Amino acid sequence: RIYSATNNMLFHMQNTSQRTVSSGRLRKRTRAQVLPRRIMGPSPCRNLHWVFKVGNRTATIRFYEDVLLMEPLRHEEFLEGCAAACNGPYDGRWSKTMIGYGSEDDNFVLELTYNYGIKSYQLGNDYMGITIHSKRVYSNLVSKDLGTAVPYAVAGNEGQPGVIQTGASSAMVPCLEVAAPDGYRFWVLDEDPQPSLSCPITELRLHVTDLERSLAFWSGILGFSARRLGPGEAVLSCGTGQCELRLVQLPQPQPLDRGTAFGRVAFACPGEQLQQLEADVRAAGYTVHTPYVSLDTPGKATVQVVILQDPDGHEICFVGDAGFRALSMRDPAAPQLLAEALEKDKSAEWFQQRAEREERMRAKGL
């Protein structure tokens, strides 16, 4: 695994005075004392998806299909809350729709979780936005007169993505910012992804309160490679050609607010590594949100899951790769299943009737 230069240097300085011998993943001194094991992180690892909680499911699906030109890949309905809180801290009926630009085997996609009876969620400042490189989607926005032109950059700043670097020099690339019905931001660039990238979704951007502390976890513990873009931000990757994670530090002492709309990022790794990963993270003093558990999807595969939290509480779901590949096979019936669920869902009508009742009561002074 790749570690930050600082961690490597400290490790080297602490151990050059005494000769070491290798013993698997443990390194032992020539005398009996055993050094603390350096956590290696999951390997191989691939970035899977980001989870959005959505309120108005009909408007949301219309946005992702008609505006961002994504396609439903899977749709599942559940009668009760997920054991791993996949739908958030809710116990009732919910649905999950995977949507994106291609197979989950080689594309970063979105998971839309819909809790029946929950009309909306409070946005925090944790999620910043997702970057999409696609001339096709950009042209679609232009044709519909949607989005706001913004600059976009590798070294972004608070409130704006900045200016993207292409090649060796900095160059302006047309970029439109657009928001989903629930307020989640997307930046769509008028260029297709580089040949080395497998998916138009190239970057997920999150706020953190202390970049150094975050890097100690993401790079030092999980083993993600990191490149710094400036004193307040860094880009992390768990493998070449994958959607990257950019961490941007909030101005101090501004706190991080996850609201009720907070999401979750998911990664796959060999299932046999999950319990060791959980033990390592726990031993290092970090939070395990959901201990190792097997999740069953009726009629589909069983997937092993461990969910961690970074120092700011961002949720990170690791799933066993083999089980997840079986579970995440594209379902040709997904569009039909989703359409049927939307047709049966009368939530919008119920909320409208409730709002009308409340308005009548207010008019009567009740």
Side-chain angles (χ1 to χ4, degrees), residues 59-78:
T60 294
I61 296 300
R62 186 180 302 120
F63 170 82
Y64 287 105
E65 288 185 325
D66 298 342
V67 176
L68 295 185
L69 302 181
M70 296 183 182
E71 297 177 304
L73 306 171
R74 290 186 284 136
H75 179 78
E76 292 141 4
E77 296 278 333
F78 303 90

Side-chain angles (χ1 to χ4, degrees), residues 268-279:
C269 69
E272 60 271 18
Q273 297 180 11
L274 290 174
Q275 290 176 298
Q276 185 63 60
L277 173 64
E278 176 189 339

